[in-house]
Amino acid sequence: DAGVIQSPRHEVTEMGQEVTLRCKPISGHNSLFWYRQTMMRGLELLIYFNNNVPIDDSGMPEDRFSAKMPNASFSTLKIQPSEPRDSAVYFCASSRRTSSYNEQFFGPGTRLTVL
Amino acid sequence: GQQLNQSPQSMFIQEGEDVSMNCTSSSIFNTWLWYKQEPGEGPVLLIALYKAGELTSNGRLTAQFGITRKDSFLNISASIPSDVGIYFCAGRGGSQGNLIFGKGTKLSVKP
């Protein structure tokens, strides 16, 4: 079975450019999460969706960050304009959300470097 | 907000030794999860715990959901070189859909 798919795996861009990260969750999962991982701050939740609807975006650092989930099988995280401090590994995770099921499955991540 | 304290931050052990790491929270959780992350990869789920007192094993790994619901531990028995990686605890409390992650325990195993 395919796991969570993320693209690209690596992205190098210059400050000020727009960056779009993509995620395809596991089929049948109805919750999707975007995380950012850095050495200093560890794993931080940026935003999550239930049934394609954003539920909590309090972790989104600034208005430069935006996320969409137009359908159950696709989500994007966009940074515009990008800054060097945005350099990190960005993970997408998905889960089947029920009252008792909380297991999230992670994609391989996108390593973003902003020069 | 909810916080998780994970310890130790890092461990250097000899192959064959047992390993123990733990997480404590400032509030009650109803779910504890343990993940392992290897370089260049995303975290992989190892064990999920849903009941206070629950003890669950996955091969050489054993994890327990603390009775107070504010802590959990992970044990690895007879460590091997491929156990190297960063181990994260994660918890969920209340009705939130999101998980809170610990800072991780970096495990190094010397052959």
Side-chain angles (χ1 to χ4, degrees):
Chain A
D1 289 341
V4 175
I5 299 172
Q6 289 187 248
S7 65
R9 290 295 309 272
H10 302 274
E11 177 81 29
V12 180
T13 191
E14 291 188 345
M15 183 174 63
Q17 297 297 306
E18 177 180 298
V19 174
T20 299
L21 311 181
R22 297 173 176 80
C23 175
K24 177 178 169 56
I26 294 172
S27 177
H29 283 192
N30 57 356
S31 290
L32 183 140
F33 305 79
W34 281 102
Y35 290 89
R36 177 171 67 178
Q37 186 177 41
T38 60
M39 289 290 291
M40 291 296 294
R41 301 172 69 90
L43 264 171
E44 301 174 277
L45 177 68
L46 301 178
I47 186 172
Y48 78 94
F49 297 82
N50 284 342
N51 297 316
N52 314 338
V53 176
I55 301 300
D56 184 355
D57 65 354
S58 60
M60 296 285 262
E62 299 172 34
D63 291 344
R64 298 184 296 106
F65 286 69
S66 63
K68 294 182 179 179
M69 192 165 186
N71 56 63
S73 59
F74 183 66
S75 177
T76 59
L77 177 68
K78 185 178 292 186
I79 308 173
Q80 165 64 17
S82 58
E83 296 182 4
R85 61 195 167 114
D86 301 331
S87 298
V89 181
Y90 291 80
F91 288 103
C92 175
S94 71
S95 73
R96 287 199 311 266
R97 187 175 188 275
T98 68
S99 60
S100 59
Y101 189 81
N102 299 285
E103 299 168 20
Q104 293 181 20
F105 296 87
F106 283 76
T110 295
R111 180 173 294 277
L112 173 65
T113 302
V114 183
L115 303 175
Chain B
Q2 293 176 321
Q3 294 184 1
L4 281 185
N5 292 312
Q6 184 171 352
S7 64
Q9 280 189 314
S10 61
M11 303 182 72
F12 296 85
I13 63 169
Q14 197 76 29
E15 181 177 0
E17 290 183 1
D18 296 343
V19 172
S20 184
M21 59 191 79
N22 68 83
C23 274
T24 58
S25 69
S26 56
S27 55
I28 291 174
F29 280 1
N30 54 35
T31 300
W32 284 99
L33 306 174
W34 285 92
Y35 288 84
K36 178 187 178 186
Q37 185 177 22
E38 298 185 14
E41 301 295 331
V44 174
L45 183 65
L46 299 173
I47 293 179
L49 303 161
Y50 293 101
K51 293 180 182 179
E54 180 180 357
L55 186 71
T56 298
S57 293
N58 178 4
R60 294 177 296 103
L61 277 62
T62 301
Q64 184 161 30
F65 193 140
I67 292 292
T68 65
R69 297 173 63 191
K70 291 185 176 182
D71 63 331
S72 177
F73 73 75
L74 175 71
N75 286 344
I76 305 173
S77 63
S79 59
I80 59 178
S82 62
D83 290 333
V84 165
I86 301 177
Y87 291 79
F88 291 96
C89 62
R92 176 180 179 267
S95 59
Q96 300 97 319
N98 55 302
L99 295 173
I100 309 297
F101 279 82
K103 297 293 186 187
T105 295
K106 185 175 182 179
L107 178 64
S108 301
V109 179
K110 186 176 180 181

